[in-house]
Amino acid sequence: MVNETQHTCSASSSSKSDGGSSSGSESSKDSSRCSTPVLDADRHERLREKMRRRQDSGDKWFSLEFFPPRTANAAVNLISRFDRMGAGGPLFIDVTWHPAGDPGSDKETSSMIIANTAVNYCGLETILHMTCCNQTKDDITGHLQKAKRLGLKNIMALRGDPAGEEWEEEVEGFNYAVDLVKHIRNEFDDYFDICVAGYPKGHPEAESYEADLRHLKEKVFAGADFIITQLFFRSETFLKFMKDCQAIGITCPIIPGIFPIQGYHSLRQLVKLSKLEVPQEIKDVIEPIKDNDAAIRNYGVELAVSMCRELLDSGMVHGLHFYTLNREVATTEVLKRLGIWKEDPRRPLPWAVSAHPKRRVEDVRPIFWASRPKSYIYRTQEWDDFPNGRWGNSSSPAFGELKDYYLFYLKSKSPREELLKMWGEELTGEESVFEVFTCYITGEPNKNGHKVTCMPWNDDPLATETNLLKEQLEKVNRRGILTINSQPNINGKPSTDPIVGWGPSGGYVFQKAYLEFFTSSEIVTALLKVLKKYELRVNYHIVNVKGQNITNAPDLQPNAVTWGIFPGREIIQPTVVDPVSFLYWKDEAFALWIEQWAKLYEEESPSRMIIQYIHDNYYLVNLVDNDFPLENCLWQVVDDTFELLN
Amino acid sequence: MVNETQHTCSASSSSKSDGGSSSGSESSKDSSRCSTPVLDADRHERLREKMRRRQDSGDKWFSLEFFPPRTANAAVNLISRFDRMGAGGPLFIDVTWHPAGDPGSDKETSSMIIANTAVNYCGLETILHMTCCNQTKDDITGHLQKAKRLGLKNIMALRGDPAGEEWEEEVEGFNYAVDLVKHIRNEFDDYFDICVAGYPKGHPEAESYEADLRHLKEKVFAGADFIITQLFFRSETFLKFMKDCQAIGITCPIIPGIFPIQGYHSLRQLVKLSKLEVPQEIKDVIEPIKDNDAAIRNYGVELAVSMCRELLDSGMVHGLHFYTLNREVATTEVLKRLGIWKEDPRRPLPWAVSAHPKRRVEDVRPIFWASRPKSYIYRTQEWDDFPNGRWGNSSSPAFGELKDYYLFYLKSKSPREELLKMWGEELTGEESVFEVFTCYITGEPNKNGHKVTCMPWNDDPLATETNLLKEQLEKVNRRGILTINSQPNINGKPSTDPIVGWGPSGGYVFQKAYLEFFTSSEIVTALLKVLKKYELRVNYHIVNVKGQNITNAPDLQPNAVTWGIFPGREIIQPTVVDPVSFLYWKDEAFALWIEQWAKLYEEESPSRMIIQYIHDNYYLVNLVDNDFPLENCLWQVVDDTFELLN
């Protein structure tokens, strides 16, 4: 590309031959501003821009609708579902607004908090639904302000269902979705992307199909950016609707709402609510198999796939919106069969990024929360700025406290009975704890025949990368080096490496070997003697629950342990071992012994006392081998330690 | 070391077992502050701290005194001397204050500007002398404010010589050095380190030796940090003085002033000014050889070495201060024979750091000024902050303009006649320019038998590192790829490597191959075709004097081309190729053709027109090979280009 310098940057483009530069006098303050190299253009675009870019590139996409769950346990499950379904690459998800469920509150199950979780903790572009009827202007503004504060950037503006049979318009009130659209644009300018609902068969309460189209046009002209439609059963219905919209001058994207039939009852309920009529040919198939859930779901998938194919083949449809009913199987199946479920193994950074706009530039985190990214996000949610480029040694990161509410994110996905089976109904000593750690590493069943698929510090099975170290990890865990985090050293693997790669292609990634574990004071004493031999090579931090801290880190500076070199970019160093935040992590890591493990047992029970003893007496240790081009010496350090003990 | 977390950092050290963290609420703003890893503790210490640290470690040191030169040419030479003598590792240098020479002015030869140059451009810890008699309070405050603004941190507070024979004390005026010391402490608190003069034989105007000691004590008690003495001829003189000082309670460092006799006349003049008596045994040796400069200098070196040895052996002396008389040979000889001249090949960063306190955190610069660091410092002197960690792509670096005064730093050390011999008395065409570039690279004499030891873009012979590329550079310069900057790719050499190493030991340094050159538009056209094949691997910026700019840099982001990985530290990336600053550099690089080369010739002369033609028509090109672990492909790119042309 040829750039005339005038438009591409502020540098002088004068052609003086005397060497004079008319470079002006931009604020010199700005000259040293740090900023993140653009690793992931996606992170910097708003939803409507992403939609436009995907449409321009001919790249088909999908989105997923969820409703807020009723219980805290269901919320934990829904968040896991966000993570799993997020892996397929939805352009966005949306969360419905349930006026009866206190949707704007701070409850774990409110629409607001579920949408907040999707954006911040799952890194998903999210639309929050919002209804306006029967609400005051102040209430609505309050909800919108809160949404903005939480990092939500997209609102689906709806009327909602009027209360009572005899609904009358309120003067000065919000009577229609268009009022809400106008209100959002008035009060928040262009901050939000706004979506509105379209009715391919016309709104059931509209005077006519044509009148409803005119209402839709009003909503768009009031400032809506795109339309998602109500479900329908035939592709012709949507395509006709789309042409009719275009005919009256609606030019924004219109996204068909797809409802894969997943069961007889859910279909009936939805039809009742939406006042839609199920076509006879569908009824004919369903009625005879109404008690066979699997058969109905298979039929639903079939039907959805063929309808979606017709829509995509029409050339008028670029994205499909799925009403998931909070279920995974049918929608995933449809998406996979359509070939638009795309699990992209590439990661912009080694850790999962949050979609909060404040976190757009974030590109450095301490390694400690590698298996607990949601906890890290929670504990840093009050930060105004996020580190980029450098973590910085003068920083005093003020991590949020471990409060009750936090336990929601801290909660394991597995129920108590399951955890007891994995971690032991009854512990007989420290060795039985070693055994649990070892089984988690090896993937072998414990002595009662149960696989250990999670630990208090890792709610998921062992990462692929950790698998590279499996053999050595097994060996040391058996002997009481209870590992909770580790990474191998990497000396310049391609950034596209399926296991350790991240960032744009064409780059090289590097790592220093890292090992973090709990261990007894006896082992720590021997370890410290051994570490003297490795003084220049290995950095260590050793701390107990009381905060007694032993380290050889120079000036308490952070140590970069993961970094990447990319074409045409500055160096990225996304993970550091930071001495200061380690002490915040220490509180969390020790607390997990008690909160997640000890409390499974009765107070004063021997099992609980064993965990309490470990919590009170063990040390949390982290080791970094700085010599990344050489063979990882940390295993030798541990071997030397055991040798010294014998 | 065991650190209780309370003193070492702000993290929680509570021993709560409930997992609560009492982390307080430090400003979250600070949490993402960038800051430089401490690469070089020296950069962060003030002079008196450095002095104390060297004394504590038993490490002997030296310092050097210079006076401001009389002409601009002499100033250029003195600055080169600063660089050469700075290589021996002086703890500081000092610059005397000449009331007659407008010492506080902006003239190239003023004390203020010479001291400024030493600090900012030569990276030397510097003391500026300042005298106070016959000056108003406002004048003195003005000088001090200016010194502070320029980054000077140390003042030698002197009385100065009163004007006229019949000097009388001014009421409320500055009559003695102690008044100046008090004034500095009153007005500038602890900002400056203050040095005062001591007279081992007593000040010539003092009532008595004892009275003079009392005056000295007053100066120290008024806030002076250390003492430098007047010259003396016998070590006993100094050692007695030192004991006498200690006896009356002067405990600050006292640094002996050493004057290596360098010639008969300079000795006589100094003796006259200082009113000192030369011991008979010295006179006896010197008088007979007074016309033999070399013999006197040899004797002076001998004498200084043996006196310095006596001082150091006494155990009371930790540092030696040399009156250089702006000469190099004798002092360097003495220092080398004493074994305290220490050329340290280790560099904290790949480029020479400035000693200005504002630049303490600076650790990233564009590669373009690699051979012109003083120019870079000059052009960025108005910046309030300096990049560290990241250069940043949103930055609009406002580089200072290329003004007349700037030409002082831009000026070559070689006189015009010398340059003409090197670069050609008469150019016959573009090829004769190619020849000059080629001779500079090869070190071979040109066709008139003169070696080309500098170029407008490089005032010094080829860097050792560039020598690694000599063979290929020669080949391409012969064919009109006129190289002005280059570096080889480096894939993880030890940071102690004598050629490409930098930073603390135990680290690894890396580089992407870089090549920057002027070339004709014909070659550029072919080059651009060839570069298509290397699109993903090679980043390029191609610009002519008019600012027409061709690049494939993503989003005008900077490309890190030198970086280092060190134990226990964040990544350092001291050099970048920045698209924005390249356009500022472009103005300077093109201007050098005219200012330094074309102007050697008569206006309208064929030689001048050839340089003017190149200036007007050639392109400045830079290339980066991003694939640093592979063999440098830039030579292949150039070969392909020539092949395409044939």
Side-chain angles (χ1 to χ4, degrees):
Chain A
M1 58 177 165
V2 176
N3 302 322
E4 283 299 323
T5 58
Q6 286 91 331
H7 357 123
T8 55
C9 69
S10 61
S12 160
S13 61
S14 72
S15 57
K16 288 179 196 167
S17 59
D18 61 1
S21 159
S22 60
S23 56
S25 57
E26 293 85 355
S27 158
S28 60
K29 269 256 144 144
D30 287 343
S31 62
S32 58
R33 287 266 316 283
C34 288
S35 71
T36 201
V38 181
L39 270 177
D40 179 10
D42 242 37
R43 272 172 97 181
H44 295 261
E45 281 177 335
R46 47 197 302 169
L47 180 52
R48 64 191 183 209
E49 289 163 358
K50 290 183 192 176
M51 218 175 265
R52 199 175 306 127
R53 191 162 52 83
R54 295 285 282 263
Q55 174 163 343
D56 292 348
S57 68
D59 194 11
K60 306 302 180 198
W61 54 264
F62 67 94
S63 51
L64 303 168
E65 183 163 314
F66 299 93
F67 55 80
R70 266 178 300 172
T71 65
N73 272 338
V76 171
N77 288 332
L78 182 60
I79 295 165
S80 302
R81 185 162 299 127
F82 286 170
D83 286 339
R84 285 192 303 271
M85 296 192 81
L91 187 67
F92 63 86
I93 70 149
D94 58 331
V95 178
T96 60
W97 186 260
H98 283 206
D102 203 357
S105 75
D106 284 338
K107 283 197 297 194
E108 295 158 355
T109 54
S110 77
S111 300
M112 187 71 83
I113 293 305
I114 292 295
N116 163 54
T117 302
V119 166
N120 288 293
Y121 297 92
C122 305
L124 296 168
E125 182 80 49
T126 301
I127 303 178
L128 175 63
H129 289 221
M130 206 171 276
T131 60
C132 60
C133 74
N134 304 319
Q135 292 195 77
T136 69
K137 212 172 228 182
D138 284 352
D139 281 348
I140 289 172
T141 302
H143 291 323
L144 288 164
Q145 277 165 342
K146 183 168 183 176
K148 183 176 172 182
R149 207 165 53 241
L150 293 174
L152 291 160
K153 295 166 293 182
N154 313 293
I155 299 290
M156 173 110 178
L158 298 164
R159 187 190 69 179
D161 294 315
E165 282 296 299
E166 297 298 310
W167 174 62
E168 278 180 37
E169 291 190 17
E170 293 176 50
V171 188
E172 306 260 327
F174 291 96
N175 297 305
Y176 299 102
V178 68
D179 301 323
L180 179 54
V181 174
K182 285 178 184 163
H183 178 72
I184 297 174
R185 284 286 173 250
N186 279 340
E187 300 285 315
F188 295 86
D189 200 21
D190 202 34
Y191 177 79
F192 290 105
D193 278 14
I194 301 175
C195 172
V196 291
Y199 299 86
K201 290 270 194 183
H203 192 279
E205 289 168 21
E207 305 134 57
S208 67
Y209 176 76
E210 289 70 27
D212 195 49
L213 277 182
R214 284 194 302 274
H215 288 312
L216 182 58
K217 185 175 172 179
E218 269 178 56
K219 291 195 282 189
V220 172
F221 277 61
D225 296 295
F226 51 94
I227 297 162
I228 294 178
T229 77
Q230 178 58 289
L231 65 95
F232 50 89
F233 295 99
R234 293 187 182 117
S235 59
E236 310 88 85
T237 310
F238 177 81
L239 295 172
K240 174 182 181 300
F241 170 71
M242 192 151 176
K243 279 175 202 145
D244 293 337
C245 285
Q246 285 169 347
I248 65 158
I250 296 173
T251 57
C252 71
I254 305 176
I255 305 147
I258 310 297
F259 174 74
I261 298 172
Q262 305 195 50
Y264 186 74
H265 294 288
S266 62
L267 175 64
R268 270 177 58 125
Q269 203 188 347
L270 199 90
V271 163
K272 196 180 133 199
L273 280 171
S274 63
K275 296 175 184 153
L276 288 174
E277 209 170 299
V278 180
Q280 194 55 44
E281 69 269 25
I282 295 180
K283 281 187 190 156
D284 289 347
V285 179
I286 282 183
E287 284 295 336
I289 54 169
K290 67 179 179 184
D291 298 320
N292 184 341
D293 283 355
I296 289 187
R297 199 171 60 215
N298 286 343
Y299 171 68
V301 167
E302 234 16 274
L303 207 62
V305 168
S306 71
M307 191 174 76
C308 289
R309 285 223 173 99
E310 286 163 22
L311 290 170
L312 295 172
D313 289 349
S314 75
M316 297 173 71
V317 172
H318 306 279
L320 302 165
H321 184 74
F322 285 83
Y323 294 104
T324 68
L325 304 186
N326 285 15
R327 296 190 208 156
E328 234 168 304
V329 181
T331 300
T332 308
E333 174 75 14
V334 172
L335 289 166
K336 284 182 175 170
R337 285 181 53 187
L338 290 170
I340 56 177
W341 174 274
K342 284 175 188 155
E343 296 201 24
D344 188 348
R346 286 175 307 169
R347 306 173 291 174
L349 287 169
W351 32 263
V353 300
S354 165
H356 195 296
K358 274 202 311 189
R359 288 186 178 258
R360 224 167 250 179
V361 297
E362 181 183 27
D363 69 6
V364 196
R365 288 186 187 173
I367 197 171
F368 317 119
W369 284 270
S371 300
R372 299 178 57 76
K374 291 186 176 67
S375 161
Y376 179 77
I377 292 167
Y378 177 78
R379 298 193 67 181
T380 60
Q381 64 183 340
E382 298 301 330
W383 290 8
D384 291 331
D385 300 304
F386 289 88
N388 76 93
R390 284 275 170 85
W391 179 261
N393 63 333
S394 66
S395 63
S396 308
F399 286 87
E401 288 181 38
L402 297 156
K403 286 181 300 197
D404 282 351
Y405 172 65
Y406 170 68
L407 295 177
F408 170 49
Y409 293 109
L410 198 137
K411 203 175 144 71
S412 174
K413 283 177 291 204
S414 310
R416 180 169 177 273
E417 308 73 51
E418 195 64 41
L419 296 176
L420 280 170
K421 280 181 191 158
M422 291 195 271
W423 302 344
E425 307 274 355
E426 213 180 313
L427 301 173
T428 52
E430 290 168 65
E431 280 71 21
S432 50
V433 172
F434 302 176
E435 181 65 20
V436 174
F437 276 84
T438 309
C439 288
Y440 175 70
I441 298 291
T442 60
E444 302 290 320
N446 62 18
K447 61 176 188 285
N448 296 317
H450 292 284
K451 289 202 177 186
V452 180
T453 56
C454 68
M455 291 293 283
W457 306 269
N458 298 279
D459 209 27
D460 294 301
L462 218 55
T464 338
E465 186 190 8
T466 317
N467 252 312
L468 299 174
L469 307 171
K470 201 162 157 174
E471 208 177 305
Q472 289 102 329
L473 287 170
E474 178 187 346
K475 222 171 82 183
V476 305
N477 275 283
R478 272 194 204 293
R479 303 182 68 175
I481 298 269
L482 306 177
T483 61
I484 60 169
N485 196 355
S486 59
Q487 69 175 23
N489 59 319
I490 301 292
N491 187 15
K493 288 227 177 174
S495 57
T496 48
D497 183 277
I499 297 175
V500 297
W502 53 272
S505 58
Y508 295 92
V509 298
F510 293 79
Q511 290 179 182
K512 291 180 180 176
Y514 180 74
L515 193 60
E516 183 181 337
F517 53 87
F518 288 101
T519 202
S520 66
S521 62
E522 189 197 0
I523 291 179
V524 161
T525 307
L527 178 66
L528 276 168
K529 280 190 193 126
V530 168
L531 282 169
K532 284 209 170 67
K533 277 201 307 182
Y534 294 86
E535 187 62 29
L536 292 170
R537 181 162 175 184
V538 176
N539 279 116
Y540 55 86
H541 296 90
I542 302 177
V543 67
N544 64 7
V545 73
K546 298 184 199 75
Q548 201 191 10
N549 185 28
I550 310 164
T551 179
N552 68 344
D555 314 308
L556 287 183
Q557 286 191 54
N559 191 351
V561 292
T562 302
W563 63 99
I565 317 297
F566 300 96
R569 287 189 164 85
E570 297 195 72
I571 315 294
I572 322 283
Q573 51 156 28
T575 7
V576 296
V577 169
D578 172 51
V580 181
S581 36
F582 182 59
L583 297 174
Y584 288 90
W585 164 246
K586 175 266 295 181
D587 290 337
E588 182 169 335
F590 276 101
L592 286 164
W593 281 107
I594 304 300
E595 295 299 324
Q596 290 227 6
W597 200 334
K599 290 191 175 171
L600 294 177
Y601 309 106
E602 296 294 312
E603 277 190 61
E604 309 291 329
S605 68
S607 295
R608 185 151 177 174
M609 284 165 71
I610 287 164
I611 301 296
Q612 185 75 50
Y613 174 82
I614 290 178
H615 170 271
D616 295 347
N617 292 285
Y618 273 38
Y619 282 79
L620 180 62
V621 177
N622 76 53
L623 303 176
V624 177
D625 176 6
N626 287 300
D627 257 333
F628 61 96
L630 312 182
E631 202 190 335
N632 178 354
C633 75
L634 301 181
W635 307 117
Q636 192 59 49
V637 169
V638 175
D639 282 352
D640 291 0
T641 304
F642 284 123
E643 200 168 302
L644 189 67
L645 279 170
N646 287 344
Chain B
M1 56 177 164
V2 175
N3 301 320
E4 282 300 322
T5 58
Q6 284 92 329
H7 359 120
T8 55
C9 68
S10 61
S12 160
S13 62
S14 72
S15 58
K16 289 179 197 166
S17 59
D18 61 1
S21 160
S22 61
S23 55
S25 56
E26 293 84 356
S27 158
S28 59
K29 268 255 142 140
D30 287 344
S31 61
S32 59
R33 286 266 316 283
C34 288
S35 72
T36 200
V38 181
L39 271 177
D40 179 12
D42 242 36
R43 274 171 97 180
H44 295 261
E45 280 177 335
R46 48 195 303 169
L47 179 52
R48 64 190 184 210
E49 289 164 358
K50 289 183 194 176
M51 218 175 264
R52 199 174 307 126
R53 191 163 52 85
R54 295 286 283 264
Q55 174 163 339
D56 291 348
S57 69
D59 194 11
K60 307 301 181 199
W61 53 264
F62 68 95
S63 51
L64 303 169
E65 182 162 315
F66 299 94
F67 55 79
R70 266 178 302 175
T71 65
N73 272 338
V76 171
N77 288 333
L78 182 60
I79 294 166
S80 301
R81 186 162 298 125
F82 286 170
D83 286 338
R84 285 192 302 272
M85 297 191 80
L91 187 66
F92 62 86
I93 70 152
D94 59 329
V95 178
T96 60
W97 187 259
H98 283 206
D102 203 356
S105 76
D106 283 337
K107 284 198 298 193
E108 295 159 354
T109 54
S110 77
S111 301
M112 186 72 82
I113 295 304
I114 292 296
N116 163 54
T117 302
V119 167
N120 289 292
Y121 297 93
C122 305
L124 296 168
E125 181 80 49
T126 301
I127 303 179
L128 175 63
H129 289 220
M130 208 172 275
T131 61
C132 60
C133 75
N134 304 319
Q135 291 195 77
T136 68
K137 212 172 228 184
D138 283 352
D139 280 348
I140 288 172
T141 303
H143 292 323
L144 289 165
Q145 276 164 343
K146 183 168 182 174
K148 183 176 173 182
R149 208 166 52 240
L150 293 175
L152 291 159
K153 295 165 294 182
N154 313 294
I155 299 292
M156 173 110 178
L158 298 164
R159 186 190 71 179
D161 295 316
E165 283 297 301
E166 297 298 313
W167 173 60
E168 281 180 33
E169 290 191 16
E170 293 176 49
V171 188
E172 305 260 324
F174 290 95
N175 297 306
Y176 299 102
V178 67
D179 301 324
L180 180 53
V181 174
K182 285 177 185 164
H183 178 71
I184 298 174
R185 285 286 172 250
N186 279 339
E187 300 285 314
F188 295 86
D189 199 24
D190 200 35
Y191 177 80
F192 290 106
D193 277 16
I194 301 176
C195 172
V196 291
Y199 299 87
K201 290 271 193 184
H203 192 280
E205 289 167 22
E207 305 134 58
S208 68
Y209 176 75
E210 289 68 28
D212 196 48
L213 277 182
R214 285 194 301 273
H215 287 312
L216 182 57
K217 186 176 174 180
E218 269 178 55
K219 292 196 280 190
V220 173
F221 278 61
D225 297 295
F226 51 95
I227 298 162
I228 294 178
T229 77
Q230 177 60 289
L231 64 94
F232 50 88
F233 294 100
R234 292 187 182 118
S235 58
E236 312 86 85
T237 311
F238 176 82
L239 295 172
K240 174 182 182 298
F241 171 70
M242 192 150 176
K243 279 174 203 144
D244 294 338
C245 285
Q246 287 170 348
I248 64 157
I250 296 174
T251 56
C252 71
I254 305 176
I255 306 147
I258 310 297
F259 174 73
I261 298 171
Q262 306 194 48
Y264 185 74
H265 294 287
S266 62
L267 176 63
R268 270 179 57 124
Q269 205 188 347
L270 199 88
V271 164
K272 196 178 131 200
L273 280 171
S274 62
K275 296 177 182 150
L276 287 175
E277 210 171 297
V278 179
Q280 194 55 43
E281 69 268 25
I282 295 181
K283 282 187 190 156
D284 290 347
V285 179
I286 282 184
E287 284 296 338
I289 55 169
K290 66 178 180 185
D291 297 320
N292 185 340
D293 282 356
I296 290 189
R297 200 173 57 214
N298 286 343
Y299 171 67
V301 166
E302 235 16 274
L303 208 62
V305 168
S306 70
M307 191 173 75
C308 290
R309 285 223 173 100
E310 287 162 22
L311 291 170
L312 295 173
D313 289 348
S314 75
M316 297 174 71
V317 171
H318 306 279
L320 301 164
H321 183 72
F322 284 84
Y323 294 104
T324 68
L325 304 186
N326 285 15
R327 295 190 209 156
E328 230 168 308
V329 181
T331 301
T332 308
E333 175 74 13
V334 173
L335 290 167
K336 283 182 176 169
R337 285 180 54 186
L338 291 170
I340 57 176
W341 174 274
K342 283 175 189 155
E343 297 202 23
D344 187 349
R346 286 174 306 170
R347 308 173 289 174
L349 287 169
W351 31 263
V353 300
S354 166
H356 195 295
K358 275 201 310 187
R359 287 185 179 259
R360 225 167 249 181
V361 297
E362 181 182 27
D363 70 4
V364 196
R365 289 185 186 174
I367 196 170
F368 315 120
W369 284 270
S371 301
R372 297 178 59 75
K374 291 186 175 67
S375 161
Y376 179 77
I377 292 167
Y378 178 78
R379 298 191 67 181
T380 60
Q381 63 183 338
E382 299 300 332
W383 291 8
D384 291 329
D385 299 303
F386 290 87
N388 76 93
R390 285 274 170 84
W391 179 262
N393 62 335
S394 66
S395 64
S396 307
F399 285 88
E401 288 182 39
L402 296 156
K403 287 182 299 199
D404 282 352
Y405 173 67
Y406 171 69
L407 295 177
F408 170 50
Y409 294 107
L410 196 138
K411 201 174 146 75
S412 174
K413 284 177 289 204
S414 311
R416 181 170 175 273
E417 308 73 51
E418 197 63 42
L419 297 176
L420 279 170
K421 280 182 193 156
M422 290 196 270
W423 302 345
E425 306 273 356
E426 215 180 311
L427 301 174
T428 52
E430 291 167 66
E431 280 72 20
S432 49
V433 172
F434 301 177
E435 182 65 21
V436 175
F437 276 84
T438 309
C439 288
Y440 174 70
I441 297 290
T442 60
E444 301 290 321
N446 64 18
K447 60 176 189 287
N448 296 318
H450 292 283
K451 289 202 177 186
V452 181
T453 56
C454 68
M455 291 293 285
W457 305 269
N458 298 280
D459 209 27
D460 294 301
L462 217 55
T464 338
E465 186 191 9
T466 318
N467 253 313
L468 299 174
L469 307 171
K470 201 162 159 174
E471 207 177 303
Q472 289 103 328
L473 287 169
E474 178 187 348
K475 222 171 80 180
V476 305
N477 275 283
R478 275 196 202 291
R479 303 182 70 175
I481 298 271
L482 307 177
T483 60
I484 59 169
N485 196 355
S486 59
Q487 70 175 22
N489 58 319
I490 300 294
N491 187 15
K493 288 224 178 178
S495 57
T496 48
D497 183 277
I499 297 175
V500 297
W502 54 271
S505 58
Y508 294 92
V509 298
F510 293 79
Q511 291 180 180
K512 290 180 180 177
Y514 179 74
L515 194 61
E516 183 181 336
F517 54 87
F518 289 101
T519 202
S520 67
S521 62
E522 190 196 359
I523 290 178
V524 162
T525 307
L527 178 65
L528 277 169
K529 281 190 193 126
V530 169
L531 283 170
K532 284 207 169 67
K533 278 201 305 182
Y534 294 86
E535 188 64 27
L536 292 170
R537 180 162 175 183
V538 176
N539 279 115
Y540 55 86
H541 296 91
I542 302 177
V543 67
N544 64 7
V545 74
K546 296 183 201 78
Q548 200 191 12
N549 186 27
I550 309 164
T551 179
N552 68 343
D555 314 309
L556 287 181
Q557 285 191 56
N559 191 351
V561 293
T562 302
W563 64 100
I565 317 296
F566 301 96
R569 286 189 164 85
E570 297 195 72
I571 314 292
I572 322 283
Q573 50 155 29
T575 3
V576 296
V577 169
D578 171 52
V580 180
S581 36
F582 183 58
L583 297 174
Y584 288 90
W585 163 247
K586 175 265 297 179
D587 289 338
E588 181 169 336
F590 275 102
L592 287 164
W593 281 108
I594 304 300
E595 296 299 324
Q596 291 228 4
W597 200 335
K599 288 188 176 172
L600 296 176
Y601 309 107
E602 296 293 313
E603 278 189 59
E604 307 292 327
S605 68
S607 295
R608 185 152 178 170
M609 284 165 70
I610 286 163
I611 301 297
Q612 186 74 50
Y613 175 82
I614 289 177
H615 171 270
D616 295 347
N617 293 285
Y618 273 38
Y619 282 79
L620 181 61
V621 178
N622 76 52
L623 304 176
V624 176
D625 177 5
N626 287 300
D627 257 332
F628 62 96
L630 312 182
E631 202 191 336
N632 178 354
C633 75
L634 301 181
W635 307 116
Q636 193 57 49
V637 168
V638 176
D639 282 352
D640 291 359
T641 304
F642 285 124
E643 200 169 299
L644 189 67
L645 280 169
N646 288 344

